[in-house]
Amino acid sequence: MENNRFKVLAMALLLSLFSSVDVYGQDLEIALDDALAMFYQRNLDLIVAQYNIDQAKADEIIASAIPNPTLAVQIGEITDNPNMGSSAVGCNHDPNVSCGLAQNYSFIQLIEVAGKRGLRIESSGFATQAAESDFRDALRIFSNLVSDAYYDLLLMQKNHWLAAEIFQHYQQLTSANQLRLKSGDIAESDFLRVKMEATRAESELDNIQAAVEQAQAKLAMILRWPDNSLKFVAKEQWPTVKEIGQQQSKEQLIELALQKRPDLLADKQRAEQADKQLELARRLKYPDVTVNAGYARDPSNNALNSFFVGVNVPVPVFYQYQGESDKAAVALNQNRLAVEQTELNIRSEVVGALASWQSADKILKRFNEGLLDDAQAVRQSAELAYSKGATSVLDFIEAQRSYKNIMRDYYAAMINRTNAYYDLAKTLAVELNVSQSKP
């Protein structure tokens, strides 16, 4: 079964968690596949229940059932001495001899005509397929939800590392400036400006620490609060970017998504189910036949023992199930409109996801093609010039701020590119194997 396969996969992924998490340390480093394993290990049964796969399979069994026959037994003419001296052939005609009770045994079977049972089977089969498609779509969406929370935490961690490095750097510079102030190498106003920047850097570090804890709580909530979840630290792990359609045209990607998206498939399967339901409603005007046959032992008749056969057919004179047909036709139209709306949404999502990927990829390339080196060089040259008294403290502080902003933008660009890659894969319904590489 599809859901059992995902359970096994989730449990297998969960085993890798214990090889990467230090349960004795204060921080518990986890990788993205660890987070995904925990999510499905703790949520898969709920997802299966939500999308009613087991109920759909049960409905499929019910729809395929053949009506059970009815066995009827009737005993009549119950008196002290029934049918004394009966004239029926097979009875003793002596008026002092009883011929026994009247007995009737019948077998009744409903026979469905016009292929109604086959239509119910086909309809319930499409319902089961739609539920399974909904389940696969949920996995597609929830996997992306986990990766978003994971990389949000990683972004906050990297900002925290940057803020800690800048604060430590200002602390060291403040200690050095105290010596320079005593020796008269710098003015007191310059010393105070650097000290104020150190205080500001410490405040930023506190704010970012709060942001890290909020990101940890967000991830923990998605994972349903596993043990020690507020100590989770996201491993710096980046996906190996593979060709999933980035180089293709928008039209090609839209066509690919329309072929693979499980939500669209689910809508189409529901439309097929509604079509079968409409055909079933139209065939209700063909009445089912009830056949009955049996054996009768009736001493009050001329023949003591006899057999009988009968047929019952309701005649649709006053009502031909037009209401059921109209209702099923409305449901079919609604499902077809849902298919069209999902197709439109997919087209929009593909164009948006591709544009986001292309933009995020270009931005990160600019950083890697020299912008980071330039920011680092400006910072180092400003520090060297300030230490030699060749530049003002304001120029030095501005260089530090520029470096901080560039690094924050760089970290955001890394995360945005990663999220854009996963979003594009989600939009195209492409399954990705999480593997580690540098951006």
Side-chain angles (χ1 to χ4, degrees), residues 95-153:
N96 296 318
V97 177
S98 172
C99 197
L101 300 173
Q103 303 172 33
N104 188 299
Y105 302 92
S106 62
F107 178 88
I108 305 170
Q109 176 65 56
L110 175 67
I111 300 176
E112 294 182 293
V113 301
K116 298 187 187 74
R117 177 172 174 267
L119 287 170
R120 285 202 309 272
I121 293 173
E122 293 179 11
S123 174
S124 62
F126 282 120
T128 300
Q129 293 174 23
E132 291 173 345
S133 296
D134 285 338
F135 176 69
R136 290 192 296 272
D137 191 56
L139 296 182
R140 175 182 70 93
I141 294 173
F142 288 140
S143 295
N144 191 259
L145 180 68
V146 174
S147 68
D148 282 347
Y150 178 88
Y151 282 104
D152 284 347
L153 175 57

Side-chain angles (χ1 to χ4, degrees), residues 328-370:
V330 171
L332 176 59
N333 290 332
Q334 291 175 340
N335 280 278
R336 286 175 175 172
L337 288 174
V339 171
E340 294 178 5
Q341 186 61 52
T342 302
E343 288 181 351
L344 293 175
N345 292 340
I346 289 175
R347 293 175 185 273
S348 177
E349 290 175 12
V350 168
V351 173
L354 180 60
S356 297
W357 161 256
Q358 291 173 340
S359 174
D361 189 50
K362 290 177 181 178
I363 291 173
L364 186 60
K365 284 180 179 178
R366 293 191 190 102
F367 279 100
N368 292 329
E369 288 173 354

Side-chain angles (χ1 to χ4, degrees), residues 125-420:
F126 282 120
T128 300
Q129 293 174 23
E132 291 173 345
S133 296
D134 285 338
F135 176 69
R136 290 192 296 272
D137 191 56
L139 296 182
R140 175 182 70 93
I141 294 173
F142 288 140
S143 295
N144 191 259
L145 180 68
V146 174
S147 68
D148 282 347
Y150 178 88
Y151 282 104
D152 284 347
L153 175 57
L154 181 57
L155 175 60
M156 293 302 102
Q157 289 174 188
K158 293 187 74 65
N159 286 337
H160 185 271
W161 298 334
L162 175 64
E165 187 269 333
I166 290 176
F167 173 60
Q168 184 180 11
H169 188 71
Y170 271 118
Q171 279 188 316
Q172 295 172 351
L173 187 60
T174 300
S175 299
N177 280 350
Q178 285 180 334
L179 299 177
R180 295 179 65 193
L181 178 63
K182 291 180 181 180
S183 62
D185 291 340
I186 60 172
E188 184 177 5
S189 60
D190 291 348
F191 171 78
L192 292 177
R193 286 193 179 97
V194 174
K195 186 177 180 180
M196 289 168 57
E197 286 299 313
T199 302
R200 181 177 297 175
E202 185 176 14
S203 298
E204 289 184 359
L205 180 60
D206 293 337
N207 290 333
I208 294 176
Q209 175 61 36
V212 170
E213 294 176 2
Q214 291 171 359
Q216 288 175 323
K218 178 182 177 182
L219 180 60
M221 181 182 66
I222 292 174
L223 301 181
R224 295 188 67 201
W225 293 91
D227 294 339
N228 300 312
S229 55
L230 293 182
K231 296 180 181 180
F232 284 169
V233 173
K235 183 178 180 181
E236 188 165 355
Q237 177 182 0
W238 309 99
T240 301
V241 176
K242 300 178 181 179
E243 171 56 37
I244 59 174
Q246 305 96 312
Q247 307 303 322
Q248 299 182 32
S249 66
K250 295 183 180 69
E251 291 74 17
Q252 290 174 317
L253 287 184
I254 289 173
E255 185 63 28
L256 176 63
L258 292 177
Q259 292 175 1
K260 300 188 66 174
R261 282 281 291 264
D263 52 342
L264 178 59
L265 179 59
D267 286 342
K268 289 181 177 180
Q269 289 163 340
R270 289 193 182 90
E272 292 288 345
Q273 178 191 8
D275 185 58
K276 298 300 180 182
Q277 289 289 343
L278 175 58
E279 183 60 28
L280 177 60
R282 288 172 175 170
R283 295 191 187 184
L284 290 176
K285 63 184 179 181
Y286 300 105
D288 297 330
V289 177
T290 301
V291 177
N292 62 86
Y295 160 75
R297 183 185 184 280
D298 189 356
S300 63
N301 287 338
N302 292 331
L304 177 63
N305 300 304
S306 63
F307 296 89
F308 62 88
V309 176
V311 176
N312 296 325
V313 179
V315 181
V317 175
F318 303 109
Y319 184 59
Q320 289 81 35
Y321 300 96
Q322 188 60 43
E324 285 81 352
S325 297
D326 293 344
K327 183 178 179 181
V330 171
L332 176 59
N333 290 332
Q334 291 175 340
N335 280 278
R336 286 175 175 172
L337 288 174
V339 171
E340 294 178 5
Q341 186 61 52
T342 302
E343 288 181 351
L344 293 175
N345 292 340
I346 289 175
R347 293 175 185 273
S348 177
E349 290 175 12
V350 168
V351 173
L354 180 60
S356 297
W357 161 256
Q358 291 173 340
S359 174
D361 189 50
K362 290 177 181 178
I363 291 173
L364 186 60
K365 284 180 179 178
R366 293 191 190 102
F367 279 100
N368 292 329
E369 288 173 354
L371 186 57
L372 282 180
D373 294 337
D374 294 342
Q376 185 67 36
V378 170
R379 182 194 194 194
Q380 292 175 351
S381 62
E383 289 182 0
L384 180 61
Y386 176 69
S387 65
K388 296 182 178 297
T391 188
S392 67
V393 67
L394 294 179
D395 291 337
F396 166 75
I397 292 174
E398 181 61 29
Q400 296 292 328
R401 290 176 179 176
S402 296
Y403 171 77
K404 177 185 67 177
N405 293 334
I406 289 293
M407 292 305 299
R408 282 186 176 178
D409 291 344
Y410 172 60
Y411 294 151
M414 294 168 65
I415 300 299
N416 289 340
R417 180 177 182 267
T418 299
N419 287 337

Side-chain angles (χ1 to χ4, degrees), residues 23-45:
V23 297
Y24 300 103
Q26 185 164 357
D27 292 330
L28 305 179
E29 186 179 61
I30 63 170
L32 178 57
D33 50 2
D34 300 327
L36 289 169
M38 279 187 285
F39 176 82
Y40 287 117
Q41 190 267 338
R42 299 174 67 83
N43 292 275
L44 195 62
D45 289 336

Side-chain angles (χ1 to χ4, degrees), residues 1-14 37 40-41 43-46 48-49 54 135 139:
M1 293 175 60
E2 186 76 17
N3 50 351
N4 287 336
R5 183 172 70 86
F6 282 108
K7 289 181 181 179
V8 173
L9 175 61
M11 290 300 294
L13 289 174
L14 183 64
Y40 287 117
Q41 190 267 338
N43 292 275
L44 195 62
D45 289 336
L46 293 177
V48 172
D54 293 337
F135 176 69
L139 296 182

